[in-house]
Amino acid sequence: MMYKNERGWRYKVMRAVVTQPASGLFDKPKDVWKFKGWYNKQKGNTWKPVRTLPWQETRGKAEEDLAGYAARHKMQAVRE
């Protein structure tokens, strides 16, 4: 689902590689795929993560976060 605010900025859930810190003394950090809400300004081609939304393990949880964020900010749902 994609949302649009009053400024015309678009918001949607996308995945990205996030580096998790090492879990132990001899472990190495590892890269994992996680999901989060991202935004795109009206005149830009760059998507940036919404800082206040947490990284999630599943797309479904990230969609729930973004839906709540969109409701709090009175955004409208739009087609991608």
Side-chain angles (χ1 to χ4, degrees):
M1 175 72 60
M2 185 180 288
Y3 300 92
K4 197 173 198 179
N5 68 8
E6 72 280 352
R7 295 177 286 190
W9 295 12
R10 297 173 296 159
Y11 293 75
K12 69 177 182 177
V13 169
M14 296 192 299
R15 71 179 189 164
V17 174
V18 178
T19 302
Q20 287 187 330
S23 58
L25 183 60
F26 299 106
D27 292 338
K28 293 182 180 178
K30 60 182 175 179
D31 294 336
V32 295
W33 286 103
K34 291 202 175 186
F35 298 89
K36 184 174 185 146
W38 295 66
Y39 70 94
N40 175 269
K41 292 185 178 180
Q42 192 173 8
K43 295 182 180 179
N45 292 330
T46 304
W47 288 88
K48 297 180 181 182
V50 179
R51 289 184 175 191
T52 58
L53 295 178
W55 289 101
Q56 297 289 358
E57 299 289 329
T58 65
R59 179 177 291 277
K61 287 183 181 179
E63 290 283 358
E64 289 174 11
D65 290 343
L66 184 58
Y69 182 86
R72 287 190 304 276
H73 291 86
K74 298 178 176 66
M75 295 182 198
Q76 59 181 342
V78 295
R79 286 189 167 174
E80 288 193 47

